[in-house]
Each structure stands twice: as structure tokens, then as C-alpha cells.
Amino acid sequence: MDDVAAVAGVSRGTVSRVLNGGHNVSGPALEAVERAIRKTGYVVNQHARSLVTQRSDSVAFILSEPQDRLFEDPNFNNLLRGCTQILAEHDITLLLTVAGTSADRKRIGRWVTAGHVDGALVVSNHLGSPLLDELKGRGLPFVVCGRPLGHEREVSYVAADDRDGARQMVVHLRSRGYQRIGIITGPLDTSGGVDRLAGYRDVVGDVDPALIEAGDYSQASGEAAMERLLRAGPDLDAVFVCSDLMAAGAITYLQRIGKRVPDDIAIAGFDDSKVATTITPRLTTIRQPFGRVSQEMVRLLLAHIAGEQHAAVILPTELVIRESA
């Protein structure tokens, strides 16, 4: 700062005011300081600044899944990219952390609450995870993606309306004449797994347990669950699969055993990720508004960091009809 002040011909205090927003600085002085910064290549020492402001200007993106899921599931990349871009507009850096095990979640919970970040965005939280209690107990601002099971009244979250999306899909399948409709759910310790199953049951009512199988949102789990469903219910005429990636696995299995989609069995997904339009046949699915989810998560987090109380946002989903169902 002394070097910048000397080149600009102003006081160190003027340089400081420019770096902190340019308040009470004349136009000529502001231009002189900005030219001097470019000439000297000056960069703010963020560590020194954080000691004064008690802010790191960084946010943690905590993915509560194994690391390989980050690269397999396009939903996580959509959220990561969206949040990164929006935070960059506020000059805030997003730091990715992967918490695939209970031990990881405890360790990362300690790290993010030790002053390294100003807040956290928590993605794919599981019921019983110690992470939310750790963050809440330490007073760190955070926002959860999806309904935080057991914490709905205590923390901020942004979620797509999973239950209504599932209802839309099963009503659509019924309207096409399908009667024996199975479901491959997501993990039942996540809100997506619980709420999409609830939406399915809202439409079909009491259902044969043989029509319900669980996956973990991976393609391999979709293949395995489809095999189990057909073994238990060979008369299935449609399956609602609670993620596009699992639906791709289900279609892969059906094609391998000579079943035609949708002629023999209709397959419907959930997400409207890139997978939905790259597989053959293209997936009928439920579109999640990932762009809006990212925007609202960042908005709520910045408001929380600024001292506002927690809030929840539920966003609508949309039925997208293609060839698979």
C-alpha cells in the first residue's frame, strides 16, 4: 500500500479508502490510485484483511457423498457450477469439500467452523449425519440443498418440490394407461428418496411392496434395482425411477435382456439432467430447476451471513414428456 501511495502521489489512507470501496475519495485521486495499482501489480493480502474484517470471503460447498459420485452424477456439477458463478459475482470463492463418510462429515464440520469460511452450502445431506448439528452448534451460517430431514424448522434450505414432481409423473403414467407401476427410489435417508416415494404413494395408494426398490442415485444401482423389480413383478408395465442416472441404468438392464422401452416397459426419470437426452429412448422425466436452486441457496446464505434469520424456499418442478414413457 505504501508503494501504491508513492506512485499515485496520495496518502496511504487514501489508498486504503479506495481498496475498501472508494468512499470519500475524489475522482482524480481514485483514478490515480487505480493506475498505480495496475502499474505496481498490487494485490490485496486477503489473510491480513480477514484478520481485520473477520471474514474470509469464501464459502464451503459440502457434498455429503463419496468422491466418485461428484464425477458420475451431473446434478452435483450443475449445482457446483451455478453456485460458483453466482458467488463470483460477489467476489466470494467457493471451496469444494467431499464428505463421503461419517468420519469425513465430522472432520469437515470441525474445519469449516474453525474460521476458514464464512458459511457453507450443504448438498445431499443424510438423516442421522452429525454435520448439520455440528454447523448449527458452532453458529456457522449454512444452507441445505433439499429438505433437511429432522431439521426443517431449524435451518435454511432450498428444495425442489419432490413430492409434487413424483405425483405429476405417476399421474402421467396412469394417463397413458399403465397400471402396474413400480418405483426405484433414492436413498430413504434423504429427502429426495422419502418425498418422491411419498408422491408415488399419493397416487397409487396402498401398493404391493414388491413394486418398490431402493437405489442410491447411481447408474449401477438403477440396473440392480430394475433386475430385482422384474424378478419380483414380471408383469410390470412401467417404472418410475427417481433419478435420470438410475433410469439410464434401468434402461440399460432392460435392453440387455431384450425388453423394449416403452413397448414392453415404460421408464420415467427425475431431474432432466443431460442423461435424459443422451440415452435412447430419451427420458420422460421431471425437470428440477437447478439454476434457481443455486440462486436461492446463495441468496439465503448471503442473507444469513449478513445476520438474517433462517428461511426455506420450495421450488416447483415440471413434467417433461419424451419417448420413454
Side-chain angles (χ1 to χ4, degrees):
M1 288 176 65
D2 288 334
D3 293 340
V4 172
V7 172
V10 299
S11 69
R12 192 177 191 277
T14 298
V15 174
S16 178
R17 288 194 295 276
V18 170
L19 294 173
N20 287 284
H23 304 294
N24 301 317
V25 178
S26 69
L30 178 61
E31 292 177 6
V33 171
E34 289 175 343
R35 282 197 303 271
I37 288 173
R38 290 193 295 269
K39 182 175 180 179
T40 61
Y42 173 78
V43 177
V44 174
N45 185 323
Q46 291 294 345
H47 177 66
R49 171 170 282 188
S50 67
L51 291 175
V52 175
T53 65
Q54 297 299 298
R55 292 278 298 275
S56 67
D57 289 330
S58 60
V59 164
F61 184 100
I62 304 175
L63 176 61
S64 295
E65 295 291 346
Q67 186 172 350
D68 57 347
R69 295 294 310 285
L70 172 65
F71 301 101
E72 180 186 17
D73 194 324
N75 296 342
F76 299 140
N77 281 300
N78 286 335
L79 291 168
L80 179 62
R81 181 174 60 252
C83 291
T84 299
Q85 291 172 345
I86 297 164
L87 284 166
E89 295 172 3
H90 298 272
D91 202 23
I92 295 174
T93 299
L94 189 65
L95 304 176
L96 171 64
T97 60
V98 180
T101 66
S102 179
D104 288 340
R105 291 163 197 150
K106 289 180 181 178
R107 174 176 50 79
I108 289 172
R110 291 193 301 269
W111 184 82
V112 298
T113 57
H116 300 291
V117 294
D118 298 323
L121 302 168
V122 181
V123 176
S124 196
N125 187 64
H126 292 256
L127 182 66
S129 165
L131 182 60
L132 299 191
D133 287 328
E134 178 79 18
L135 300 180
K136 190 158 58 75
R138 298 291 189 94
L140 183 77
F142 67 95
V143 176
V144 180
C145 180
R147 186 167 63 89
L149 298 176
H151 294 274
E152 292 89 341
R153 296 180 179 273
E154 306 164 3
V155 304
S156 293
Y157 67 93
V158 179
D161 194 337
D162 289 310
R163 187 167 186 162
D164 183 64
R167 284 195 295 257
Q168 290 181 65
M169 181 57 77
V170 182
V171 166
H172 165 72
L173 292 173
R174 281 279 179 87
S175 74
R176 291 291 178 94
Y178 300 111
Q179 295 299 318
R180 186 80 168 155
I181 303 171
I183 184 172
I184 299 175
T185 75
L188 295 177
D189 62 349
T190 66
S191 60
V194 170
D195 291 342
R196 294 171 200 176
L197 176 59
Y200 164 83
R201 282 180 161 147
D202 287 343
V203 180
V204 301
D206 293 332
V207 62
D208 182 351
L211 296 180
I212 302 174
E213 284 290 343
D216 64 5
Y217 293 136
S218 68
Q219 184 164 339
S221 75
E223 289 191 50
M226 188 71 247
E227 182 178 6
R228 294 194 300 271
L229 272 180
L230 272 186
R231 190 184 308 127
D235 57 343
L236 281 172
D237 56 9
V239 180
F240 169 39
V241 189
C242 291
S243 84
D244 290 347
L245 200 57
M246 290 197 299
I251 289 175
T252 298
Y253 173 74
L254 291 172
Q255 291 173 339
R256 188 164 62 244
I257 64 172
K259 296 283 188 181
R260 297 168 300 166
V261 178
D263 296 349
D264 296 322
I265 299 179
I267 297 293
F270 200 108
D271 293 328
D272 199 28
S273 64
K274 184 167 63 175
V275 175
T277 56
T278 56
I279 194 165
T280 302
R282 298 185 310 156
L283 273 177
T284 290
T285 188
I286 295 294
R287 177 174 294 153
Q288 293 205 67
F290 290 112
R292 287 194 62 196
V293 170
S294 298
Q295 291 174 355
E296 292 298 321
M297 287 181 69
V298 171
R299 182 182 67 81
L300 290 186
L301 182 60
L302 295 181
H304 199 357
I305 291 171
E308 295 184 21
Q309 296 299 309
H310 67 81
V313 175
I314 308 294
L315 298 171
T317 56
E318 177 186 356
L319 174 66
V320 180
I321 300 173
R322 298 191 180 97
E323 294 85 30
S324 71

